[in-house]
Amino acid sequence: QVQLVESGGGSVQAGGSLRLSCAASGYTSSSNCIGWFRQAPGKSREGIAGIYTVSGYTYYADSVKGRFTISRDTAKNTVYLQMNSLKPDDTAMYYCAAARGTYCYTRGTDSDVFGYWGQGTQVTVSS
């Protein structure tokens, strides 16, 4: 059973930075797409970044491109999301999710393909 545990959320002022972590366990395959999603109150879930565990291929939504960086530590089975230049619009619950296979290349922002989810970590950005 794959388990994902997020951490690193918190409150920060606009322009600040946070680093989220997603610790994974229970993988039965080394080929996975790990995605970060976020959902603000009253809004739909948004796929913002992802990384393919084999190649390190990454993708970003336009809303975070240039500000957020996703990376992985294979030895620790952990994926990170470094968030810089945070804006109030980035306020949301952030989730990491895992999908077996190469979905990162085709449907990385589609939450329907991700079968495993963490519990989420709240990020609040004040102006």
Side-chain angles (χ1 to χ4, degrees):
Q1 181 72 14
V2 174
Q3 291 188 323
L4 304 170
V5 179
E6 302 98 333
S7 61
S11 297
V12 66
Q13 289 190 326
S17 299
L18 286 171
R19 189 178 78 158
L20 306 184
S21 300
C22 174
S25 61
Y27 283 139
T28 58
S29 169
S30 61
S31 173
N32 297 283
C33 178
I34 309 300
W36 281 99
F37 292 79
R38 66 185 182 185
Q39 188 165 20
K43 295 186 178 180
S44 58
R45 187 171 294 182
E46 176 189 17
I48 58 172
I51 188 166
Y52 180 48
T53 56
V54 176
S55 66
Y57 168 81
T58 60
Y59 63 84
Y60 299 91
D62 287 343
S63 57
V64 305
K65 198 172 293 182
R67 300 187 298 123
F68 292 8
T69 303
I70 190 170
S71 61
R72 75 194 194 287
D73 185 328
T74 304
K76 296 181 178 180
N77 281 334
T78 300
V79 171
Y80 303 97
L81 186 68
Q82 178 66 43
M83 305 187 298
N84 298 328
S85 302
L86 283 162
K87 306 174 182 179
D89 284 349
D90 294 318
T91 296
M93 185 70 79
Y94 283 69
Y95 301 89
C96 68
R100 292 180 182 174
T102 60
Y103 283 111
C104 275
Y105 291 94
T106 56
R107 297 172 65 184
T109 58
D110 182 353
S111 60
D112 288 342
V113 306
F114 289 82
Y116 304 98
W117 292 81
Q119 82 287 353
T121 186
Q122 178 68 37
V123 171
T124 302
V125 184
S126 58
S127 57

